[in-house]
Amino acid sequence: SQQGEEDPQALSIQEGENATMNCSYKTSINNLQWYRQNSGRGLVHLILIRSNEREKHSGRLRVTLDTSKKSSSLLITASRAADTASYFCATVNAGNMLTFGGGTRLMVKP
Amino acid sequence: DSGVTQTPKHLITATGQRVTLRCSPRSGDLSVYWYQQSLDQGLQFLIQYYNGEERAKGNILERFSAQQFPDLHSELNLSSLELGDSALYFCASSAGQGNTGELFFGEGSRLTVL
């Protein structure tokens, strides 16, 4: 079963535009993480936000967390063709397992 | 490069066979995790080992087993293979025993069952 669900499932934008992906989850969390996966490759950790944080930045990435709504968003600003990938949110549940959502497939057109 | 090494990268086998996937974690990491990624099931957590001991169990079939050796490398054994076992199998590692921090993923082993 998947704890987090990303929305949208797919997103296509032009280079230079911003991309926003959302993640909703079901149970209380310790932290929420975002990962990126280039096609057929391993996942790469992007950013971690703890349950007592509301916003975090890393370069062109901005993550927000709303624990009252059990949701998070990942914003990529000034997107580049190289940002084309799948993006996953992941949460740690009571069983101490890091559970991934279904992912958002982002395509950035040059 | 995450520092996590998985072999083999690709594997093609027949139904009913058995295969072993191998993972070497990042230097110093004590936890190893196995995930299965397929088109219909997404990324599914299978099992975690910490310093040789099973730490958490997810959606791992009884036909699958894993272990972590004293040198901290891990193996995932898949037996009585079925067509539906075709997937990408990822290994990840982390320093601690909990899932409170970043996981470092290998490039995966792509298994095709014919």
Side-chain angles (χ1 to χ4, degrees):
Chain A
S1 62
Q2 292 174 341
Q3 158 79 313
E5 293 296 335
E6 285 89 341
D7 169 58
Q9 290 187 336
L11 180 61
S12 181
I13 59 174
Q14 293 294 135
E15 211 165 23
E17 294 180 341
N18 295 342
T20 300
M21 288 157 267
N22 302 297
C23 168
S24 60
Y25 57 91
K26 297 171 185 170
T27 61
S28 61
I29 59 171
N30 178 281
N31 67 61
L32 185 144
Q33 304 177 33
W34 285 90
Y35 286 78
R36 164 189 163 140
Q37 182 183 31
N38 285 8
S39 181
R41 304 291 300 276
L43 281 79
V44 176
H45 182 266
L46 294 176
I47 197 165
L48 179 154
I49 186 165
R50 302 192 190 285
S51 59
N52 61 353
E53 296 175 310
R54 291 297 167 258
E55 187 169 313
K56 204 161 183 180
H57 297 254
S58 177
R60 294 184 295 111
L61 305 181
R62 185 184 82 140
V63 168
T64 61
L65 179 64
D66 187 334
T67 52
S68 67
K69 294 181 179 178
K70 291 186 170 58
S71 67
S72 173
S73 67
L74 170 67
L75 168 68
I76 304 174
T77 59
S79 63
R80 305 166 181 167
D83 294 328
T84 294
S86 290
Y87 293 82
F88 296 86
C89 70
T91 57
V92 178
N93 64 15
N96 206 38
M97 297 183 292
L98 188 64
T99 306
F100 288 83
T104 292
R105 293 187 312 278
L106 173 66
M107 173 171 288
V108 182
K109 300 176 198 173
Chain B
D1 182 5
S2 67
V4 178
T5 304
Q6 289 188 248
T7 57
K9 286 186 169 39
H10 302 275
L11 193 53
I12 301 174
T13 189
T15 54
Q17 295 298 305
R18 172 190 171 95
V19 298
T20 298
L21 310 180
R22 182 188 167 100
C23 169
S24 294
R26 249 179 13 138
S27 178
D29 283 357
L30 298 178
S31 276
V32 170
Y33 310 77
W34 286 98
Y35 284 84
Q36 178 194 58
Q37 186 177 37
S38 61
L39 283 174
D40 55 343
Q41 294 290 322
L43 259 169
Q44 297 288 321
F45 169 72
L46 296 179
I47 198 163
Q48 177 201 355
Y49 280 83
Y50 174 77
N51 204 21
E53 300 288 329
E54 184 182 302
R55 180 74 175 85
K57 210 166 186 175
N59 300 321
I60 188 165
L61 300 173
E62 286 192 9
R63 300 183 286 110
F64 296 0
S65 64
Q67 55 183 324
Q68 186 179 28
F69 295 86
D71 67 352
L72 301 177
H73 92 270
S74 177
E75 293 181 357
L76 178 67
N77 299 297
L78 315 175
S79 61
S80 303
L81 286 168
E82 302 175 358
L83 296 177
D85 297 328
S86 294
L88 255 176
Y89 291 85
F90 287 107
C91 169
S93 72
S94 70
Q97 63 175 312
N99 274 298
T100 55
E102 172 182 359
L103 295 192
F104 295 87
F105 280 79
E107 290 296 311
S109 293
R110 182 175 294 279
L111 173 66
T112 302
V113 182
L114 301 176

